[in-house]
Amino acid sequence: MKKIIILGSTGSIGSQTLDVVRQHPDKFKIKALAAKKSWQRLVKQAREFKVEAIALLDDEAAFRAQEELHDSEIVVLSGKKGIKTVAGWGDADMVVSAMVGMAGLVPTLRAIERGRDVALANKESLVVGGPVVMEAVEANEVRLLPVDSEHSAVFQCVNGEKLSSMSRLILTASGGPFRTWEAEKLAKASANEALKHPTWEMGAKITIDSATLMNKGFEVLEAHHLFNLKLEQIDVWVHPQSIVHSFVEFCDGSVLAQLGPPDMRTPISYALSYPERLPPQWEKLSLDLMQNLEFEEPRRKDFPCLDLAYAAGRAGGTMPAVLNAANEVAVELFLKEKIAFTDIARVLEKVMEEHNTVTKPDLDDILEADEWGRGRAREVGRACSPGK
Ligand SMILES: NC(=O)c1ccc[n+]([C@@H]2O[C@H](COP(=O)([O-])OP(=O)(O)OC[C@H]3O[C@@H](n4cnc5c(N)ncnc54)[C@H](OP(=O)(O)O)[C@@H]3O)[C@@H](O)[C@H]2O)c1
């Protein structure tokens, strides 16, 4: 029985993880859960899975959860400290890191330092603190298992291979809802339009990142750290059907790929049960799904966030943390209709231009760069207005 903690259990990845656990009660036991402020959903999950502890970032939400759970023995914690405590709770075997954004970094590090394997959905942890996280993984001899479907695909393709025999990765991208939109129309794209992802159902932030291609840029950086590849070895191909989850090319020219219907429960299930595989209780690959698979170049000029991620990766140090911080702010401003879709990349570019990179940052340098990037992005964002 694998004992699991889920950080971000009320979100898209978190609830799909619970779906997998629900289907295999003999294999997994949930020990603790954490979320930001969705206390009602968290309380329901806590009761269903009979967990030992929960944490909510929001104090008021934690207070409501505590009131609701007064008749139980479930420990209710709050704030950043509470989330960190839950990340290291008890004697769990694995922590599923599925919070959104940079907020996932410190709890993920806490889980690693406590010697827990981590199933990583929170790609921002690696984007922002790649070297720090990978060093901690090595020092604590834990496994970092990718949940992102592309990285899970790569992980599966390289199973039993030497990482050094990989010559190239080709990460696939759905292209998002604006893949076929003309460039002039993009400036007028609304948040509602951007939130309609063609193939995946995900939280709001990653859905906007998919529309700008920033999500793919982040995945390039994630792959760079996870598989120890140079950025030049990582390509991106747009594949609107999201059936081929990524390709790995080896030094002899052979190419392996991993395929399946777009359902995050497959990579989640693989990360939870690795090295075993569990039978899927959802749609399997069919000949129908394999008709007319398309692949095309990303429109880098119209979706500049992809190249901004490569640039941040090349600059290294604190630059990816600043890119991520500015992106979190810009996405929020776009969702609140304070800036236009095309302003997101403009804000990032400007903030990156102004940043003095710290080349070998420790955690404090990263947190400082994150704070600076957020502040500067808010100022730059204020100077933009929708449609400009
Ligand atoms: N969704 C996907 O298909 C998918 C695929 C690959 C990778 N990912 C990655 O997985 C992560 C989660 O994505 P998602 O789509 O599941 O997001 P989501 O639906 O927005 O859920 C985010 C979860 O994190 C919690 N949370 C947010 N901010 C927090 C904070 N500061 N402190 C504590 N908890 C916080 C939320 O709690 P509340 O409910 O209380 O707000 C919620 O439980 C992201 O890094 C994303 O890039 C997602």
Side-chain angles (χ1 to χ4, degrees):
M1 180 78 77
K2 199 174 267 183
K3 289 168 275 181
I4 294 175
I5 290 164
I6 307 177
L7 307 175
S9 64
T10 53
S12 160
I13 291 292
S15 40
Q16 293 182 82
T17 305
L18 288 173
D19 264 359
V20 173
V21 169
R22 214 174 263 120
Q23 286 163 3
H24 300 281
D26 53 322
K27 297 216 174 316
F28 307 115
K29 165 85 187 116
I30 302 292
K31 298 290 274 188
L33 300 169
K36 186 176 184 180
K37 57 182 178 196
S38 307
W39 66 271
Q40 281 152 313
R41 207 176 308 162
L42 193 66
V43 163
K44 202 163 165 240
Q45 293 175 344
R47 285 198 190 276
E48 178 186 350
F49 290 93
K50 301 187 174 56
V51 307
E52 291 171 11
I54 60 170
L56 283 142
L57 181 71
D58 185 88
D59 290 337
E60 171 66 19
F63 178 73
R64 303 289 296 274
Q66 176 84 72
E67 273 189 334
E68 192 69 26
L69 289 169
H70 73 276
D71 59 340
S72 83
E73 287 182 2
I74 299 170
V75 176
V76 180
L77 301 164
S78 71
K80 284 188 186 171
K81 206 170 153 207
I83 306 265
K84 200 171 158 189
T85 304
V86 156
W89 189 262
D91 60 348
D93 302 300
M94 170 175 273
V95 173
V96 178
S97 173
M99 285 163 53
V100 69
M102 151 79 178
L105 175 64
V106 170
T108 302
L109 281 171
R110 171 70 181 150
I112 296 169
E113 283 155 12
R114 290 274 288 143
R116 309 286 148 78
D117 286 344
V118 171
L120 187 78
N122 179 253
K123 65 193 83 184
E124 293 92 341
S125 297
L126 272 187
V127 167
V128 165
V132 174
V133 174
M134 295 313 288
E135 263 169 42
V137 165
E138 210 178 308
N140 292 282
E141 297 178 9
V142 299
R143 284 178 177 145
L144 190 58
L145 297 150
V147 167
D148 237 329
S149 56
E150 297 76 2
H151 304 75
S152 176
V154 174
F155 184 64
Q156 294 183 52
C157 291
V158 299
N159 210 343
E161 302 281 348
K162 283 189 195 146
L163 282 189
S164 58
S165 57
M166 267 197 279
S167 54
R168 185 166 63 130
L169 285 192
I170 299 157
L171 300 180
T172 52
S174 71
F178 304 142
R179 180 178 64 90
T180 57
W181 280 37
E182 281 168 22
E184 305 75 65
K185 219 177 133 193
L186 289 175
K188 303 248 181 308
S190 72
N192 275 344
E193 287 166 324
L195 286 169
K196 285 190 194 119
H197 196 277
T199 46
W200 299 99
E201 268 186 47
M202 310 180 286
K205 193 255 180 190
I206 182 177
T207 307
I208 302 302
D209 286 347
S210 297
T212 59
L213 290 195
M214 179 47 83
N215 182 50
K216 209 47 56 180
F218 284 163
E219 287 178 5
V220 168
L221 300 179
E222 184 184 6
H224 163 64
H225 295 298
L226 268 180
F227 304 111
N228 198 21
L229 287 170
K230 295 191 181 112
L231 292 165
E232 311 83 83
Q233 291 176 286
I234 310 172
D235 276 348
V236 172
W237 289 358
V238 171
H239 166 44
Q241 294 77 21
S242 302
I243 298 293
V244 180
H245 298 305
S246 280
F247 301 90
V248 180
E249 183 188 79
F250 293 92
C251 52
D252 62 355
S254 295
V255 176
L256 298 187
Q258 186 261 345
L259 286 74
D263 189 323
M264 284 308 294
R265 287 172 300 181
T266 303
I268 290 171
S269 160
Y270 189 63
L272 293 191
S273 63
Y274 178 83
E276 309 287 320
R277 287 183 184 271
L278 299 174
Q281 320 230 345
W282 43 86
E283 186 188 15
K284 290 204 246 175
L285 192 64
S286 63
L287 196 51
D288 265 1
L289 287 174
M290 292 297 287
Q291 306 301 313
N292 309 317
L293 296 188
E294 300 161 286
F295 299 93
E296 60 199 37
E297 276 289 328
R299 289 165 52 196
R300 289 173 181 270
K301 205 164 139 272
D302 298 330
F303 297 93
C305 287
L306 178 59
D307 281 341
L308 288 176
Y310 275 95
R314 277 192 296 273
T318 45
M319 190 61 92
V322 162
L323 170 73
N324 176 73
N327 184 59
E328 287 191 28
V329 170
V331 167
E332 206 181 306
L333 292 175
F334 170 66
L335 284 170
K336 290 183 176 156
E337 299 182 355
K338 305 263 191 225
I339 64 172
F341 181 74
T342 41
D343 286 334
I344 297 177
R346 283 194 200 118
V347 170
L348 307 191
E349 199 170 354
K350 179 98 183 84
V351 175
M352 279 172 69
E353 261 170 30
E354 291 177 14
H355 180 58
N356 293 319
T357 307
V358 177
T359 42
K360 286 213 160 89
D362 59 16
L363 184 59
D364 287 341
D365 296 322
I366 291 168
L367 298 176
E368 208 172 290
D370 171 75
E371 210 175 307
W372 178 85
R374 278 168 206 273
R376 197 61 200 109
R378 269 184 220 108
E379 287 162 9
V380 176
R382 237 173 265 134
C384 304
S385 69
K388 255 190 186 174

